[in-house]
Amino acid sequence: MKITRYKKVQKYLKFYYNNFGFHQPYQVLLDGTFCFAAFKEQINIREQIPKYLNSQAKLLTTRCIIIETEKVAKKAHGALTILKQYGIHECGHKDPVTGSKCILSMVGKTNEKHYILATQDRDLQEKMRERAGVPLLYLHNKSPTLEKPSKTSYAKAGQVLENNQNMFITETQNEMLKTMKKALGVEEKVEEPKVVMKKKKSHNPNPLSCKKKKNKKDVKKDGVKEGKVRKRNKKLPKHLKEQLSVANN
């Protein structure tokens, strides 16, 4: 098996292990369509599936699936022989139902028993993709192939993680994670709060920068200073001075 193919399988199994509680030995529920394809391609399921998963695996089927395969025994005799080699899980159906209906009831809404469903039935595959936590296994190019988890499974896993995040991570561990992210340069950028510029209030002018008010007395009016008027001494002619001096004597 190629390394990339091996890594994909382990990645998908790890996803189901972490989010839906899958564990070894994995329970692989097979139907008639899968066994018929394996017989046609001459694939040894008992050897190939544990080897492909690189894990212990229990191969299982139900009575309803066996009975359905017996009805077409002429065309699928080899598939019936393969099915009868594996363990039988009780499905609880007194009257046999079709293989797909039996599997739907076995898996249920939550797949509590952690079945990995091995089928070539496309209609059944589509129905299982709508249920979270149901791994699908099918044969592709004569090789077992584990399908990538469905969108429903990813969505369910995200909800569980979000609901249980505070339960499993303490404040101290959260701080340690932040420190590690910062050291590795993968810390999320935190937007800095925007500084709101305050509007400047109107203030009185600085008294030191203001010029002193001029006194009204010093203010010129029409080019002439106001205030005290200085009297000018008028000079008298000589003949008047003489007459004044005589009169005084």
Side-chain angles (χ1 to χ4, degrees):
M1 185 168 58
K2 293 181 180 180
I3 295 175
T4 53
R5 191 162 175 260
Y6 170 78
K7 285 183 177 180
K8 277 187 178 181
V9 176
Q10 297 307 310
K11 180 182 177 181
Y12 298 158
L13 289 175
K14 190 175 181 180
F15 170 82
Y16 288 111
Y17 172 81
N18 290 331
N19 297 288
F20 297 98
F22 280 69
H23 54 80
Q24 295 190 45
Y26 295 112
Q27 297 192 106
V28 182
L29 184 62
L30 303 102
D31 71 351
T33 61
F34 187 87
C35 293
F36 179 77
F39 176 75
K40 186 178 179 181
E41 300 294 341
Q42 297 182 351
I43 297 171
N44 189 333
I45 297 174
R46 191 182 292 276
E47 291 180 2
Q48 290 297 320
I49 289 180
K51 185 179 178 180
Y52 172 69
L53 299 176
N54 194 30
S55 308
Q56 297 177 1
K58 289 182 179 179
L59 305 182
L60 309 167
T61 189
T62 66
R63 294 187 185 278
C64 292
I65 294 172
I66 292 174
I67 292 170
E68 183 186 51
T69 309
E70 284 177 345
K71 291 180 180 179
V72 289
K74 292 181 180 179
K75 294 182 179 179
H77 181 73
L80 180 62
T81 305
I82 295 171
L83 273 173
K84 287 183 176 180
Q85 295 176 8
Y86 309 133
I88 297 174
H89 262 206
E90 291 298 329
C91 57
H93 296 124
K94 293 181 180 179
D95 297 324
V97 297
T98 61
S100 59
K101 285 183 179 179
C102 182
I103 290 170
L104 286 168
S105 65
M106 290 284 286
V107 172
K109 293 182 179 180
T110 57
N111 195 14
E112 292 180 359
K113 294 184 179 180
H114 306 130
Y115 291 118
I116 297 176
L117 178 58
T119 181
Q120 301 294 108
D121 188 341
R122 292 188 178 181
D123 292 334
L124 182 59
Q125 289 173 356
E126 284 297 325
K127 291 177 182 177
M128 287 302 170
R129 290 186 186 106
E130 296 175 359
R131 302 188 183 191
V134 184
L136 292 175
L137 186 69
Y138 56 88
L139 295 175
H140 178 68
N141 293 334
K142 299 184 179 182
S143 301
T145 302
L146 184 65
E147 188 175 88
K148 181 180 178 180
S150 64
K151 292 180 180 179
T152 308
S153 294
Y154 276 120
K156 182 68 175 178
Q159 290 176 2
V160 173
L161 181 63
E162 186 177 352
N163 293 335
N164 297 335
Q165 187 176 10
N166 295 331
M167 187 185 298
F168 293 105
I169 300 177
T170 62
E171 291 184 4
T172 307
Q173 290 173 334
N174 197 16
E175 289 297 325
M176 290 175 66
L177 283 172
K178 287 181 179 179
T179 306
M180 291 173 66
K181 285 181 179 180
K182 189 174 182 180
L184 295 170
V186 293
E187 189 176 12
E188 295 180 356
K189 293 182 179 179
V190 180
E191 292 184 359
E192 295 182 359
K194 294 181 180 180
V195 179
V196 180
M197 298 296 292
K198 292 183 179 179
K199 293 182 179 179
K200 291 184 178 181
K201 294 181 180 180
S202 58
H203 297 285
N204 294 327
N206 188 352
L208 298 175
S209 64
C210 297
K211 292 182 179 181
K212 291 183 179 180
K213 291 183 179 180
K214 291 184 179 181
N215 194 352
K216 289 183 179 180
K217 294 179 180 180
D218 298 333
V219 177
K220 291 183 178 180
K221 186 176 181 182
D222 296 332
V224 180
K225 289 184 178 180
E226 291 184 353
K228 290 182 180 181
V229 179
R230 290 182 65 184
K231 293 182 179 180
R232 293 179 65 182
N233 295 327
K234 295 181 179 180
K235 291 182 180 182
L236 296 173
K238 284 184 180 182
H239 66 278
L240 289 175
K241 285 182 179 180
E242 289 177 355
Q243 289 179 5
L244 286 171
S245 61
V246 172
N248 290 331
N249 292 330

